[in-house]
C-alpha cells in the first residue's frame, strides 16, 4: 500500500515524530502499519487516487495524552485529524482531508462522565457511541431520550460536531450542545460557557456563558480538539402518536412541504420529520439487480413497478407528535386538517405509551444501522455520497430543486434517492448518490454529478450544510459573498489560534497559512 507523509516531512522525520508519540502514549497506541492506515481510510472512497490517505493513527486514553500529542505534533509539524468514532459515512468516515495527516482517534476516551436525570443532560467523552448511551439509559430505566442519526454507529459528540440530524424534537444535535472542553492547538485546556467558572454547577444548563459564546465556533471547524461535551437529552414524553402516509406523485412534495412547514414553525410538529422517496426504502431492502440490469438511471416504468410491488408511494410521510395523549390527539386533528386540503387519503396511525418498549415506531431515538444497507444497491463494493443543500420551507422551490437535481441524476445515469428533513425554518435536502466503488466509470460520473449539483444549487441560492472531504473546498468556495469575506475570517482566525496549522488542515475549506497555496 502506498504511504503518505505530512507535508514537508521526509519518511525519516515522520518516523522520528512517531517515536516521540510512542514515548508518551505507548507504542501500542501508535497505529502505523499498512493495515492500520488502511483501517482509517474512507471506506467509501470513490475515486482511484487516494487524496485522503492517513499518515498513521494515534489513540490516546486521556486528556493529558491528547495535550502531550498536540505538543509533539507542534514540535514536529505533524498535522492531526481528530475523530471521535470516525463513522462520518458519506462525508469521509475517519479519513483526513489532507493525505499524510495523522488521525487522532479519540474512541478510547469513551466514558459517560455524568447523567443528570433531573435536568436532562449528559457530559460525554468523544468515544461514547449512540448505542453505548442508549444502552446505559435503557439498562438504568432513565427516562431521557436520545436523538440518533439514521446511521447510529458513530459517536454522539462527533455527530453533533458535524451538525448531524436526528428525527426527535432534539434532532438538531448541534443546538443541544451545552458546554465543551477542548485541547487547543497550543495544548491549553479550555472549557466553554459556564464551564469557564471553576467548580461551576451550571456548565450543562446555560449555553452562552459570559461574553462571546464559543460552542458553535468549534463545530465544523479546525480550531480545537473536543475532549468533553455537554448535551441536553429529551425528557421522555407520556406518549407519542405517529401519522404515516404514502403520497403517490413526485409533485406531491410541493404541497407536503407547504402543509408541514407551518405546523413545524408553530411547534405543532416538534420534530424534524424525514420525508423520503420510494428509493429510500427500495435501496435499503432490495438491490438494483432485483429490478433492472440496463445502463443509465432506472427508467420510469421500473420505478412504477418498484412502488407497486413494495406498496410505496413516491413519498413516505412520517410525522410524530410528542407529549400527552390529549394534546397529541388535538394536534393530530390539526395535521389531518392541513393534509385534507390536498388529499382524501387517511393517515395510518401508531401510538406509543410510556412503559411500552421503545422501537422504531415509537418515534424515540433508537439507534440503528439498517439504512446503511443502501450501499449494496448498485452491486459490487458499495459506497455513497450525500449532496445536502439547505432549502427554504417553500413547496414550489423544493419541487423545482427536485426536478433540476433529478434531471442531473438522469443525465449522469444515477438512480435517484432524495429526502427532506424539515427543520424549524429550513429543510435539509439529502440527494443520496449510491455507487459501486469498483465501477470506475460510474464513480467518475457520480463525482461529476456532485460538482454539477453544487454549482446548480449555488446558482439557485442554495448551499450545502455539510460535505464530503473531497468537496470541502468546492463547497466553501460557494459561500463567496464579498470576495469570500467569511472564509477569509475563518482563515484569519485559524492563523491566530493555530499558526503552525496542526489541527485538521483543510477541514471545511479552512487552510492554515502554511498550506494555503496547496489547496487541491
Ligand atoms: P461520528 O463517528 O459520530 O460519525 P466522526 O468521529 O466521524 O463522528 O467525526 C465527525 C466530524 O467531526 C469529523 O469531521 C471530525 O473531524 C470532527 N470531529 C470528531 N470528533 C472531534 C473532536 N473530538 N474534536 C474535534 N473535531 C472532531
Amino acid at each position: 500500500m502506498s504511504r503518505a507523509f505530512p507535508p514537508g516531512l521526509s519518511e525519516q522525520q515522520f518516523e522520528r515524530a512517531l517515536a516521540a508519540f510512542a514515548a508518551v502514549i505507548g507504542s501500542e497506541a501508535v497505529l502505523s502499519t499498512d493495515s492500520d492506515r488502511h483501517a482509517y481510510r474512507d471506506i467509501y472512497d470513490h475515486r482511484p487516487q487516494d487524496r485522503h490517505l492517513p499518515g498513521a493513527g494515534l489513540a490516546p486514553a486521556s486528556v493529558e495524552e491528547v495535550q502531550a500529542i498536540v505538543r509533539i505534533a507542534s514540535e514536529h509539524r505533524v498535522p492531526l485529524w481528530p475523530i471521535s468514532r470516525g463513522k462520518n459515512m458519506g462525508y469521509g468516515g475517519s479519513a483526513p482531508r489532507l493525505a499524510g495527516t495523522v488521525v487522532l482517534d479519540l474512541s478510547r476516551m469513551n466514558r459517560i462522565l455524568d447523567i443528570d436525570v433531573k435536568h436532562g443532560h449528559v457530559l460525554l467523552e468523544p468515544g461514547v457511541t449512540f448505542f453505548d448511551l442508549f444502552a446505559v439509559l435503557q439498562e438504568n430505566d432513565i427516562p431521557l431520550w436520545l436523538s440518533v442519526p439514521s446511521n447510529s454507529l458513530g459517536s454522539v459528540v462527533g455527530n453533533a460536531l458535524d451538525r448531524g440530524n436526528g428525527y426527535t424534537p432534539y434532532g438538531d444535535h448541534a443546538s443541544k450542545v451545552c458546554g465543551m472542553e477542548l485541547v487547543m492547538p497550543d495544548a491549553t485546556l479550555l472549557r466553554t460557557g459556564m464551564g469557564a467558572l471553576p467548580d461551576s454547577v451550571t456548565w450543562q444548563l446555560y449555553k452562552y456563558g459570559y461574553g462571546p459564546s464559543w460552542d458553535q465556533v468549534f463545530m465544523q471547524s479546525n480550531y480545537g480538539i473536543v475532549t468533553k461535551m455537554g448535551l441536553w437529552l429529551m425528557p421522555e414524553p407520556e406518549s407519542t402518536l405517529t401519522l404515516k402516509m404514502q403520497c403517490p406523485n413526485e409533485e406531491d412534495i410541493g404541497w407536503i412541504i407547504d402543509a408541514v412547514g407551518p405546523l413545524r414553525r408553530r411547534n405543532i410538529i416538534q420534530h424534524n420529520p424525514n420525508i423520503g422517496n420510494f428509493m429510500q426504502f427500495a435501496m435499503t431492502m432490495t438491490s438494483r439487480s432485483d429490478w433492472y440490469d440496463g445502463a443509465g438511471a432506472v427508467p420510469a416504468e421500473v420505478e412504477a413497478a418498484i412502488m407497486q410491488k413494495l406498496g410505496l408511494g413516491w413519498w413516505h410521510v412520517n410525522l410524530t407528535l410528542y407529549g400527552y395523549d390529549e394534546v397529541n390527539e388535538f394536534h393530530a386533528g390539526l395535521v389531518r386538517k392541513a393534509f385534507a386540503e390536498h388529499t382524501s387519503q387517511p393517515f395510518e396511525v401508531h401510538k406509543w405509551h410510556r412503559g411500552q418498549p421503545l422501537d422504531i415506531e415509537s418515534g424515540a431515538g433508537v439507534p440503528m444501522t439498517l439504512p446503511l444497507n443502501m450501499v449494496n444497491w448498485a452491486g459490487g463494493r458499495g459506497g455513497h455520497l450525500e449532496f445536502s443543500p439547505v432549502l427554504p420551507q417553500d413547496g414550489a422551490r423544493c419541487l423545482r430543486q427536485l426536478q433540476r437535481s433529478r434531471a442531473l441524476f438522469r443525465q449522469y445515469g444515477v438512480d435517484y434517492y432524495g429526502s427532506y428533513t424539515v427543520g424549524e425554518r429550513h429543510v435539509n435536502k439529502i440527494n443520496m448518490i449510491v455507487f459501486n466503488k469498483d465501477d470506475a466509470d460510474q464513480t467518475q460520473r457520480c463525482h461529476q454529478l456532485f460538482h454539477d449539483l453544487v454549482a446548480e444549487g449555488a446558482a439557485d441560492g442554495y448551499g450545502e450544510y455539510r460535505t464530503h472531504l473531497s468537496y470541502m473546498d468546492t463547497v466553501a468556495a460557494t459561500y463567496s459573498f464579498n470576495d469570500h469575506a467569511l472564509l477569509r475570517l475563518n482563515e484569519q482566525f485559524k492563523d491566530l489560534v493555530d499558526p503552525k496549522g496542526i489541527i485538521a488542515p483543510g477541514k471545511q475549506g479552512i487552510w492554515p497559512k502554511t498550506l494555503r497555496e496547496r489547496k487541491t
Side-chain angles (χ1 to χ4, degrees):
M1 192 174 129
S2 59
R3 284 192 70 181
F5 303 104
L9 257 61
S10 66
E11 180 171 356
Q12 269 182 339
Q13 287 169 317
F14 187 49
E15 291 301 335
R16 272 204 292 278
L18 292 179
F21 290 126
V24 174
I25 62 171
S27 53
E28 68 289 350
V30 177
L31 304 154
S32 57
T33 66
D34 271 358
S35 67
D36 291 332
R37 284 190 294 273
H38 188 79
Y40 286 118
R41 285 170 57 160
D42 175 8
I43 56 163
Y44 296 152
D45 203 357
H46 56 293
R47 289 197 284 160
Q49 78 278 27
D50 199 333
R51 287 145 310 127
H52 309 301
L53 188 64
L58 301 172
S62 67
V63 173
E64 293 72 25
E65 287 191 359
V66 174
Q67 288 177 290
I69 287 172
V70 168
R71 282 189 205 101
I72 295 166
S74 178
E75 187 189 330
H76 291 260
R77 306 245 170 193
V78 173
L80 303 169
W81 183 266
I83 59 164
S84 290
R85 299 298 300 199
K87 303 298 179 198
N88 209 11
M89 312 291 204
Y91 297 106
S94 49
R97 165 66 186 85
L98 179 71
T101 303
V102 169
V103 176
L104 181 63
D105 179 348
L106 302 169
S107 59
R108 288 173 70 204
M109 294 167 59
N110 61 352
R111 289 175 302 165
I112 299 171
L113 298 163
D114 183 31
I115 302 182
D116 185 324
V117 182
K118 178 176 168 191
H119 296 106
H121 61 74
V122 286
L123 183 66
L124 305 173
E125 289 191 328
V128 177
T129 69
F130 289 97
F131 281 97
D132 296 335
L133 186 53
F134 184 76
V136 168
L137 296 175
Q138 288 285 292
E139 281 158 16
N140 295 287
D141 278 332
I142 294 173
L144 294 174
W145 279 13
L146 277 184
S147 168
V148 303
S150 45
N151 157 30
S152 328
L153 275 176
S155 138
V156 181
V157 170
N159 184 272
L161 287 176
D162 214 34
R163 305 204 189 103
N165 282 313
Y167 308 100
T168 74
Y170 280 39
D172 179 354
H173 297 165
S175 75
K176 300 301 169 206
V177 171
C178 188
M180 294 178 179
E181 180 187 86
L182 297 113
V183 173
M184 297 298 288
D186 65 357
T188 300
L189 193 64
L190 174 81
R191 287 189 175 178
T192 63
M194 302 309 282
L197 188 108
D199 302 323
S200 165
V201 292
T202 55
W203 191 15
Q204 271 69 66
L205 297 179
Y206 181 65
K207 290 177 187 170
Y208 309 123
Y210 177 74
S213 182
W214 285 89
D215 286 357
Q216 293 294 329
V217 176
F218 292 113
M219 297 181 198
Q220 282 198 12
S221 69
N222 49 12
Y223 304 141
I225 299 162
V226 177
T227 48
K228 292 182 183 63
M229 179 186 280
L231 192 79
W232 291 353
L233 298 186
M234 178 178 155
E236 183 177 77
E238 178 185 273
S239 65
T240 65
L241 191 163
T242 299
L243 299 168
K244 292 184 176 192
M245 186 184 286
Q246 298 285 340
C247 297
N249 310 305
E250 183 176 351
E251 304 72 44
D252 290 338
I253 195 62
W255 69 255
I256 296 171
I257 295 291
D258 286 336
V260 170
L263 295 165
R264 183 75 185 92
R265 295 195 288 276
R266 290 184 170 78
N267 228 13
I268 305 299
I269 298 171
Q270 303 162 29
H271 74 127
N272 298 339
N274 179 266
I275 300 156
N277 82 334
F278 61 95
M279 274 293 189
Q280 193 175 36
F281 188 81
M283 284 190 179
T284 308
M285 306 310 280
T286 69
S287 302
R288 187 178 206 270
S289 57
D290 296 336
W291 308 100
Y292 186 66
D293 57 9
V298 165
E301 61 276 14
V302 177
E303 291 182 338
I306 294 174
M307 286 185 265
Q308 212 251 330
K309 185 104 187 269
L310 298 178
L312 302 169
W314 234 92
W315 301 105
H316 177 62
V317 178
N318 194 338
L319 307 169
T320 300
L321 304 165
Y322 296 80
Y324 298 92
D325 291 333
E326 297 82 352
V327 181
N328 291 345
E329 290 293 350
F330 182 77
H331 285 169
L334 297 177
V335 175
R336 285 196 178 94
K337 202 166 148 212
F339 272 64
E341 289 180 23
H342 306 278
T343 175
S344 55
Q345 269 194 85
F347 278 108
E348 187 187 322
V349 179
H350 289 269
K351 290 185 180 177
W352 172 89
H353 208 276
R354 188 178 288 158
Q356 291 174 345
L358 295 183
D359 57 16
I360 303 285
E361 302 290 356
S362 65
V366 180
M368 57 189 162
T369 54
L370 185 69
L372 265 185
N373 261 358
M374 71 182 165
V375 296
N376 298 325
W377 169 257
R381 294 184 303 159
H384 72 99
L385 270 175
E386 298 175 27
F387 171 66
S388 325
V390 177
L391 306 181
Q393 286 176 1
D394 179 276
R397 281 183 176 274
C398 286
L399 186 54
R400 186 175 137 78
Q401 194 278 338
L402 170 72
Q403 286 163 344
R404 282 171 61 105
S405 51
R406 280 264 284 161
L408 281 177
F409 271 67
R410 248 183 253 116
Q411 181 188 324
Y412 285 106
V414 180
D415 300 329
Y416 187 77
Y417 163 174
S419 77
Y420 298 78
T421 301
V422 186
E424 279 187 81
R425 290 290 185 283
H426 72 285
V427 177
N428 279 121
K429 171 78 189 293
I430 302 288
N431 300 269
M432 193 70 77
I433 303 173
V434 177
F435 49 83
N436 170 0
K437 307 199 285 192
D438 298 318
D439 182 336
D441 168 62
Q442 191 182 65
T443 54
Q444 187 55 27
R445 279 186 280 119
C446 288
H447 171 62
Q448 280 161 358
L449 167 63
F450 199 94
H451 272 284
D452 282 9
L453 286 166
V454 173
E456 184 184 86
D460 283 346
Y462 311 134
E464 273 206 289
Y465 87 101
R466 183 182 187 189
T467 204
H468 184 277
L469 301 170
S470 293
Y471 304 100
M472 283 180 170
D473 290 331
T474 308
V475 172
T478 63
Y479 287 83
S480 61
F481 173 75
N482 191 15
D483 191 22
H484 307 269
L486 184 61
L487 183 59
R488 283 187 282 120
L489 171 70
N490 290 339
E491 293 193 329
Q492 272 172 348
F493 188 68
K494 179 72 177 164
D495 293 342
L496 188 71
V497 290
D498 188 10
K500 290 187 181 170
I502 295 307
I503 312 292
K507 184 168 165 61
Q508 249 59 39
I510 305 169
W511 291 90
K513 65 171 172 293
T514 46
L515 295 170
R516 214 158 283 156
E517 302 312 314
R518 293 176 59 106
K519 286 186 188 187
T520 53

